[in-house]
Amino acid sequence: MSIAHVVLSDIHLGARDSIMTHLTVHDEIADGPSEVLSAFANGMRETLGGVKPQLVLLGDALDLGLSPFGDVSKSFLQLLDAFFPVDGADLFAREIIYVAGNHDHHLWRIAQDQGFLEAVETGEIPSDLASTSRIFGTPSRRCRMMESLLKHRPHLADASVRIAYPNWGIADKDLNRAVVMHHGHYLDGMYRALSNMRGFLGDSDPRPATMQQLEQENGPWIDFLWSDLGSAGEVGSEVGSLYETMLSAGASHDFAESLSRRITGGLHSKLGINPKMQLKYGITLDNLIRAGVDLTAGRAAERQRDGHSHVMGQDEVDDLGWYLATPVAAEMRKELGGIPREVNFIFGHTHKPFQDELLVDGFEVPVGVFNTGGWVLDEPTLMPVQGCAAMLVSDKLEVASLRLFNDPTDGTMAPVRVEGSGRQSRLVDETSEAVSHAASHWAEFSDIVHKRIIEEADKRVVKLLKDSNEYAREAAE
């Protein structure tokens, strides 16, 4: 078996709508792995046949953005118990690579702070926090939160978690190949909001040219709004509802209108400010507020209006091409001296798995593009494009997608299978045979996932109806 790395993304451990999170009947974090997590580990163990690849957690593995830190931490222990059981063989190597995303950007902030403090303690005073890490090579920073949790499992005393951001990858000069991984949030304009503002105000290109510029401009925005709202009490819960609302264009429009009315009404009643006061060119304060709200909550949903009917819209494809051709290409030239002939790119974030090839300016051959999908149910209605995959990377830097599931919109689950980007691949052939050998384990996994998805969908429909009634009542008031 040639698998050297297994890449998982968007597990959202600790989130109630993650099918990986194990909950009690009282909706609290339970001890031990969930049925889904255990079944996945069993399928992977049988497929790998004793090989222990390196695990790469490609962002949003921890749902710090919308779940309390305690819940997230307990849920991470569930994952450790499934992958590294105290009374069984390890599923993966004991050095984990963690690439932070948007919901767990806080982990990178901890690493940034720790790096600065260590430099100060040795007598240096760096000019600022290190905004990014190198793409290639073993990450120099450790993930302190995860390694602290490892101490709760004494049999993992020699395990470690290395953190990178916003990319991590592997390159082989002799093969002239590279694999680059990124959570995927910087392919989404919502997470480049401050760059977009800078471009608008300065009448310049809003898309940054380097990774450093991208993170320096937008990292604070991600920290502010998305990184650790799970610890913000009721406010964090409300923002979680906002995030779900923004996935629906119709609900987002209604929400934006309601929010605008609340803001302007509050300014008038509490501060005595007339929302109809003219600012310039006949524009009133009320106009400005409504436009501002629509540019955030409203426009974010606008990008998603067609997002659930197909995997990627044209704007998203353009952003993907920009990310590879500009900041990623610049970093590869700096670190490797040039762009390898064959490049594969792995990302998540969208919760819609796919694999394909993409022509990218400056790359000799089309880039293999692989999306991991996610383990959460975003919408109360089931969507055929929503699902999950694990990415497999070989020792020769080939990539294959282990397609785990898609929402069962026709009442049945497609079988677990291996797919490539379209190129001839030894890895696809080899792992397809291994998955076929483990067919009974994967069939059990599919049955468990199917049941869990249907249960979660039913719960979310009930919650949506309840919330809709509340919103309608508040709007009437």
Side-chain angles (χ1 to χ4, degrees):
M1 178 66 67
S2 63
I3 296 173
H5 301 84
V6 173
V7 185
L8 302 177
S9 181
D10 295 272
I11 306 175
H12 290 274
L13 292 167
R16 266 55 184 173
D17 56 358
S18 169
I19 64 173
M20 282 286 218
T21 301
H22 187 193
L23 301 171
T24 68
V25 293
H26 302 294
D27 204 38
E28 297 175 347
I29 304 297
D31 293 328
S34 66
E35 279 192 289
V36 172
L37 181 50
S38 295
F40 172 72
N42 291 338
M44 283 302 304
R45 186 169 279 107
E46 188 70 15
T47 299
L48 292 171
V51 174
K52 293 180 173 59
Q54 185 169 48
L55 174 63
V56 181
L57 296 175
L58 193 57
D60 290 6
L62 304 187
D63 193 59
L64 297 174
L66 299 173
S67 302
F69 275 47
D71 287 356
V72 171
S73 298
K74 292 175 183 176
S75 192
F76 180 64
L77 294 178
Q78 296 171 354
L79 182 138
L80 292 179
D81 291 341
F83 292 170
F84 306 93
V86 67
D87 56 354
D90 292 352
L91 180 57
F92 298 110
R94 291 198 169 191
E95 182 182 75
I96 298 170
I97 301 293
Y98 199 103
V99 184
N102 53 301
H103 282 273
D104 49 14
H105 188 270
H106 187 79
L107 297 178
W108 175 243
R109 178 62 71 186
I110 293 173
Q112 286 179 296
D113 292 343
Q114 183 65 21
F116 189 88
L117 292 175
E118 289 174 359
V120 170
E121 289 168 356
T122 60
E124 300 178 31
I125 300 182
S127 59
D128 204 347
L129 300 176
S131 56
T132 64
S133 63
R134 290 174 55 89
I135 294 181
F136 303 102
T138 300
S140 61
R141 292 287 162 208
R142 293 177 180 265
C143 184
R144 291 193 64 193
M145 179 175 171
M146 287 182 145
E147 291 199 340
S148 296
L149 290 169
L150 284 173
K151 295 178 181 178
H152 287 247
R153 298 294 183 263
H155 70 290
L156 296 178
D158 62 338
S160 64
V161 183
R162 300 275 181 172
I163 188 167
Y165 186 80
N167 309 287
W168 185 70
I170 316 125
D172 189 310
K173 184 177 181 180
D174 293 335
L175 293 172
N176 205 9
R177 289 176 178 166
V179 177
V180 177
M181 309 174 205
H182 167 60
H183 173 65
H185 53 295
Y186 278 144
L187 309 181
D188 185 340
M190 183 192 302
Y191 298 94
R192 303 194 309 271
L194 297 188
S195 293
N196 293 334
M197 182 180 294
R198 184 257 306 152
F200 173 75
L201 295 175
D203 194 23
S204 58
D205 188 345
R207 298 194 290 199
T210 66
M211 290 294 173
Q212 290 73 24
Q213 182 188 7
L214 183 58
E215 174 61 15
Q216 286 171 351
E217 290 181 350
N218 300 285
W221 162 248
I222 295 174
D223 273 337
F224 172 69
L225 191 57
W226 297 108
S227 186
D228 57 359
L229 278 164
S231 293
E234 291 184 5
V235 173
S237 176
E238 289 301 315
V239 173
S241 298
L242 168 60
Y243 179 71
E244 294 171 3
T245 299
M246 287 164 64
L247 295 175
S248 165
S252 172
H253 175 76
D254 293 341
F255 178 87
E257 287 294 306
S258 176
L259 182 59
S260 299
R261 288 194 299 270
R262 289 190 183 192
I263 294 173
T264 55
L267 288 173
H268 182 64
S269 63
K270 296 180 180 180
L271 299 179
I273 298 175
N274 182 2
K276 298 302 181 183
M277 64 182 291
Q278 289 196 5
L279 301 176
K280 195 173 184 180
Y281 306 125
I283 298 174
T284 66
L285 180 60
D286 179 67
N287 296 149
L288 186 63
I289 290 172
R290 286 174 180 271
V293 170
D294 193 48
L295 281 170
T296 52
R299 289 294 182 268
E302 186 75 30
R303 288 176 56 85
Q304 295 292 335
R305 290 189 186 198
D306 295 324
H308 292 291
S309 63
H310 56 277
V311 176
M312 293 186 78
Q314 188 56 51
D315 287 347
E316 294 164 314
V317 173
D318 291 344
D319 281 345
L320 174 56
W322 154 77
Y323 190 77
L324 291 169
T326 306
V328 168
E331 199 69 18
M332 286 197 291
R333 293 187 186 100
K334 182 169 67 174
E335 294 187 27
L336 303 177
I339 300 174
R341 181 177 185 275
E342 294 183 38
V343 177
N344 285 302
F345 181 67
I346 302 173
F347 70 110
H349 184 66
T350 69
H351 299 178
K352 304 168 191 173
F354 74 95
Q355 58 286 322
D356 206 342
E357 293 193 337
L358 182 70
L359 288 169
V360 178
D361 289 345
F363 288 68
E364 187 174 342
V365 299
V367 176
V369 180
F370 298 81
N371 188 281
T372 63
W375 295 84
V376 296
L377 188 66
D378 287 323
E379 289 284 299
T381 52
L382 300 180
M383 300 289 177
V385 296
Q386 185 171 270
C388 185
M391 295 304 149
L392 313 175
V393 182
S394 76
D395 54 0
K396 300 298 184 182
L397 302 192
E398 295 176 310
V399 178
S401 176
L402 179 61
R403 295 297 298 264
L404 297 168
F405 62 87
N406 280 81
D407 283 357
T409 53
D410 59 355
T412 60
M413 294 285 286
V416 175
R417 62 203 184 277
V418 180
E419 296 184 358
S421 64
R423 304 174 192 173
Q424 189 71 26
S425 169
R426 177 194 62 158
L427 179 63
V428 171
D429 296 338
E430 182 182 76
T431 52
S432 292
E433 183 177 343
V435 167
S436 178
H437 175 75
S440 62
H441 291 77
W442 287 121
E444 182 181 7
F445 167 80
S446 296
D447 289 343
I448 292 171
V449 168
H450 190 179
K451 178 183 175 183
R452 181 74 174 85
I453 288 176
I454 296 301
E455 289 174 350
E456 184 61 32
D458 289 345
K459 285 196 310 185
R460 288 174 71 84
V461 167
V462 171
K463 182 178 182 296
L464 178 67
L465 292 173
K466 180 181 176 182
D467 290 346
S468 296
N469 290 335
E470 285 294 317
Y471 295 149
R473 182 183 58 79
E474 290 183 10
E477 293 176 352

